Amino acid sequence: MNKLMLALAIALAFAPAAHSADVATPKGMPAYGQEKSIPAPKIARQTLPNGLTVWVVPRDGLPRVDYVLAVRGAGFAADSATQSGFASMLAGMLNEGTAKRDSRAIAEAAQGMGGEVAAGPAADGITLFANALASQAPAMMNLMAEIARQPSFPENEVALAKANALQALRVSETQPGFRAERAIKKAVYADHPYGRTDPTVESINAVTADMLRAEHAKRFRPDRALLVITGRISEAEAMKLAKAAFGDWKASGTALPDTPVVATGVKPARVLLKRDGSVQSTLRLGSPGIAASAADQIPLRLTSTILGGGFSSRINTNLREEKGYTYGASAGARMSRAGGMMVGGADVRNEVTGASLEEYFKEYKRIGSETVPAKEMDMNKRYVAGGYLLSNQLQRSVASTLAANWLVGLPPEFLGEYVPKIQKVTPEQVRTVAKKYFAPENQSIVVVGDPSKLDEQLKPYGAFTVTDK
Amino acid sequence: MRQLPVLMAGLTLSMSAFAASTDQWTLPVNTKKLDNGLTVIVSEDRSSPTVGVSVVYHVGMRLEPRNRTGFAHLFEHLMFQGTPNAPKGVFDTTITAGGGWNNGSTRPDFTNYIETAPASSLEPILWLEADRMKTLDFNPTTLKNQQDVVKEEIRVNVKNQPYGGFMWIDISQHAFQKWENNHDGYGSFEDLENASLDDVRAFHRDYYGPNNAVLAIAGDITPQQGFALAQKYFGAIPARPVPKGTDFSEPLNTAEKRLEQSDALAQVPAIAAAWKVPERGSRDQAPIAVLAELLGGGDASLFYQGLVKGREIALNVDTMFGLTSPWEYNGPTLMTVFALYKPDSSADAVLKAMDEEIAKIAKDGVDDATLKRVKTRMLADWNNKLESFVNRADTMAKLQVLWGDANVVNKIPGWIEGVTSSDIQRAVKTYLVPTNRTVIDRKPAAMIDAAKTAAAPNNAPAGATNQGARNE
């Protein structure tokens, strides 16, 4: 029942901006107060002899430690073409048994420390997250290391995970958002592994415990891993725990090759995914984007914010607040290590499917042709800066942002430099990158909905391939 | 196969201990009531130059007009649609340009409005909140616009989704007897469309006065500063009479209710089982909270280990207290267990498995090691929830509205710590009994059709269950 649920998660600072940027300040409303300087987190850094990078950010505040272990090259991009979504199974199985404990013992140990430990997959890596009460810092470090280094992939757990994954896939496929995302990724990334991060029945069935063990051995390597430690712990203590738990970790075998660069010359697609009886159309517009470390990334992040990053973004203001077509609409850049994509999306009622696409294209065209007014620029820059302060308030988000940046190739300094860089972006830069990356003619369109209600409305947008998948 | 893990768990436990003194965390709570009845809470924390703000009104779905289901929530949306002083768009853009973020939500017993931003935005935020407490811009355009938006919200969260919120919308309709507790808080499209500007005006007048609200600020501010700002921006808003509510209390149920629903969008069956829980403030409330964690809180819980692992019949297990938490209700509420189960299993098997786990607790209680683990995780989770300033402010404001005491935020850890095995046994025997239970078995339409076809040759009845309609 929240006022708005963003349809899309947008990288790092997801943000917002403005149609009523031109509305006058109400009489009597106080001005903003004095800005306080933005503190950049102090990060202590060490590289262990085995190549593991360790960053420590001690903090006061709540009595908890947070650990994030990011393993680069272990994610979806490392999955073979026939094993799409495998990284998800690999990540999920890590805490289902180790050389020393079974899954129940792991769950109970974490519970007893007032915390949890689990892993999640991303395109560019697998990330383990762990936290515990401050008094349990050493015990949780050991548990996380055990899970990262000595997972045992027990046969019974693998069989259960496969059976459950097949059912979970059936559940996912009933959700229009899942089907829309799967299709737009495929349309934009074509054959690149970023385009196939969802499992299939075949890829789930093919998983074996041996495969999990072999892939774990190949993908989990200290020289491709970063450990971030933050919370109520000293730098010295954190480094000591890291060395004790990971100092003797050795890589085995040859490292996997780096992820190939995404090709950008893909031809825009038109796909209508059949969902008979659907009372809404789920829309996605997508086109090739850029890598997280590419030159255009800073102006593109701000452009995404202005166009489609929050309540006051142009897209949401138009489709929700002016037209009432949707509960929430968004658009923006997603950036990975070897490439990225632009994605816009909303769920709209059937009758306004064509009209919603029209408004999307109108906004895409406008931001690529007219310069954004100074007040709207300013509002969005302040929103990004505020988002930075707010996310730095949470120790888990500091740790996970540092790790996520590292995975996609951004240095630790990026966290502190991001806001000052955003503040230098000009309206001309916004127009230039918007024209380049949100060009209407480059957008693939995916619609999940009831074809009988949509055929006429979609006609102006070209010939749609109608399919069940 | 399950015995070894239990032994190992015992060993693990003895080492991992419980919350040490270094894990204690007490939050400052400063409270002041303005002359107009607005309660103000300030909790200082200088670790970040930001603030969290929450304004909670003591009105929710239970108090909305009878022929206006969904109105409390629709009204929440209208609170963002502008005032005579600050026209549509100003609220959001002012907060955005101040570097902040805002939202609102509606629950049975309260409606909250939250903002978080750099401290430099605090005064504009308070001005905006006070401005819309005074009056709204009542106009047909924004009303129509938000009726459309809310309908899209219901489509995206209910009508276009498999399971469609049956574990909180539908189950309440069957578990409760009184209209206040059992109607659909999202509302029917007809009621939403019939909402008029007069309704908006009356609801604002009756329930949105300062004397029916709590303002909480957490973060980079002193109590003195916070109280002064509250007085400056809210002090002149007159108190308004609040209608006397009806008595919406109701006793525990005395007969189990079970029904089957057909779901046109689902491919995998699901079940929700809900028990009425003790009223707020009951000595059984904390035991029920601990019990819910013991049964369904995470991978170490008895239901996860017993149903997802162990018997391998469920895909997941979640527990919920309506749409809130075990501490944030003030009228009849349910503890609901929701699970997707495997198509080759059945609702009967899931219920039987749950009953077996429950019966073990009723008979033997909970061993010390397990109880300690569960409490440790609950205490840590409570701390974690309060890390962000906006959650901190919001939690304090809600507790003030519901309990009349924001400092309950610091009491809950002690209440959890004090729960004993016999408290849990008593709670299980009183509340988690079949007669107090409501169950919905939500099956994919195709599964029901297939069962009917299979049964037809023998001329057997399609089932003794009560086939419910999809809630549309």
Side-chain angles (χ1 to χ4, degrees), chain B residues 133-249:
Chain B
M133 187 183 282
K134 283 175 218 151
T135 179
L136 294 179
D137 172 22
F138 306 104
N139 80 64
T141 310
T142 54
L143 176 59
K144 170 71 169 67
N145 170 249
Q146 290 305 307
Q147 283 167 327
D148 284 345
V149 169
V150 167
K151 279 156 64 182
E152 291 314 305
E153 179 178 348
I154 294 170
R155 286 193 177 102
V156 78
N157 287 342
V158 180
K159 292 178 186 288
N160 214 37
Q161 286 293 332
Y163 315 114
F166 84 99
M167 73 299 288
W168 66 274
I169 298 173
D170 298 42
I171 205 141
S172 298
Q173 294 173 349
H174 296 285
F176 294 119
Q177 281 75 53
K178 290 190 175 175
W179 182 89
E180 288 87 340
N181 308 321
N182 73 11
H183 70 275
D184 175 4
Y186 250 152
S188 71
F189 277 16
E190 189 189 352
D191 282 357
L192 288 171
E193 281 157 6
N194 284 339
S196 69
L197 291 175
D198 283 343
D199 297 331
V200 180
R201 200 170 285 123
F203 205 72
H204 188 269
R205 178 198 64 216
D206 288 348
Y207 296 112
Y208 275 69
N211 44 313
N212 203 39
V214 171
L215 162 69
I217 308 169
D220 189 11
I221 186 169
T222 65
Q224 293 70 28
Q225 288 168 334
F227 294 144
L229 290 175
Q231 178 63 38
K232 178 177 173 186
Y233 292 109
F234 293 84
I237 306 172
R240 313 199 275 265
V242 181
K244 198 171 171 302
T246 54
D247 173 13
F248 44 68
S249 63

Side-chain angles (χ1 to χ4, degrees), chain A residues 39-85:
Chain A
K42 278 185 65 182
I43 307 166
R45 303 173 214 182
Q46 260 192 47
T47 304
L48 305 190
N50 61 3
L52 177 71
T53 306
V54 184
W55 295 347
V56 181
V57 189
R59 295 167 61 104
D60 296 327
L62 86 165
R64 191 182 73 199
V65 290
D66 276 273
Y67 301 133
V68 181
L69 179 74
V71 186
R72 186 161 56 77
F76 293 119
D79 296 343
S80 76
T82 55
Q83 275 308 107
S84 67

Side-chain angles (χ1 to χ4, degrees), chain A residues 1-5 14 16-21 23-24 26-37 39 59 61-64 95-96 100-105 107-116 131 133-136 139 156-157 160 163-165 167-168 170-171 174-177 232 275-282 311-312 320-327 347-351 378-380 382-387 389-390 392-396, chain B residues 1-2 5-6 8-9 12-13 16-20 22-25 46 48-51 61 73 76-77 80-81 85-90 92-107 116-118 120-121 123-124 127-128 145-146 148-149 152-153 155-157 159-163 168 185-186 220 233 265-268 293 297 299-300 302 304-305 308-309 312 314-315 323 340 342-343 373-374 376-377 380 383-384 387-390 472:
Chain A
M1 302 282 249
N2 290 335
K3 187 177 154 217
L4 169 68
M5 229 172 278
F14 72 96
H19 85 126
S20 340
V23 173
K27 221 175 119 204
M29 187 165 83
Y32 301 119
Q34 184 71 40
E35 297 295 337
K36 299 198 179 173
S37 65
R59 295 167 61 104
L62 86 165
R64 191 182 73 199
N95 64 357
E96 297 291 4
K100 295 178 190 162
R101 293 181 242 224
D102 71 1
S103 65
R104 182 175 196 146
E108 292 182 348
Q111 184 184 48
M113 298 173 204
E116 36 202 11
N131 66 79
L133 287 166
S135 67
Q136 303 300 313
N156 63 328
E157 296 287 359
L160 177 60
N164 288 354
Q167 296 300 327
R170 293 177 69 184
V171 173
T174 59
Q175 288 154 349
R232 208 186 268 190
R275 192 169 188 264
D276 294 332
S278 193
V279 300
Q280 279 179 322
S281 297
T282 299
F311 275 137
S312 308
R320 170 180 160 130
E321 294 302 329
E322 289 168 12
K323 310 287 192 317
Y325 290 168
T326 180
Y327 181 45
D347 296 77
V348 303
R349 60 182 176 278
N350 294 337
E351 313 86 83
D378 190 47
M379 173 175 80
N380 283 280
R382 291 176 60 107
Y383 185 82
V384 172
L389 278 187
L390 294 168
N392 268 294
Q393 190 187 104
L394 304 173
Q395 71 184 40
R396 180 179 296 144
Chain B
M1 194 182 85
R2 288 288 138 210
V6 172
M8 290 177 65
T12 306
L13 238 213
S16 66
F18 53 97
T22 52
D23 300 325
Q24 296 302 320
W25 204 37
R46 299 287 179 171
S48 160
T50 62
V51 287
M61 300 161 188
H73 170 237
E76 171 218 313
H77 279 242
F80 294 90
Q81 293 301 304
N85 295 321
K88 174 163 174 149
V90 169
D92 286 340
T93 54
T94 301
I95 291 171
T96 301
W101 170 94
N102 69 83
N103 214 327
S105 66
T106 308
R107 297 293 183 261
T116 187
S120 55
S121 295
E123 289 203 50
W127 185 90
L128 287 164
N145 170 249
Q146 290 305 307
D148 284 345
V149 169
E152 291 314 305
E153 179 178 348
R155 286 193 177 102
V156 78
N157 287 342
K159 292 178 186 288
N160 214 37
Q161 286 293 332
Y163 315 114
W168 66 274
Y186 250 152
D220 189 11
Y233 292 109
L265 298 172
Q267 288 289 321
V268 172
E293 182 76 10
D299 290 2
L302 299 182
Y304 184 84
Q305 288 297 331
V308 178
K309 298 294 179 77
E312 300 190 358
L315 295 178
L323 283 177
L340 298 170
K342 294 186 180 171
R373 272 200 325 263
V374 168
T376 302
R377 169 72 69 72
N383 288 346
N384 294 343
E387 183 186 7
S388 84
F389 293 167
V390 66
E472 294 192 76

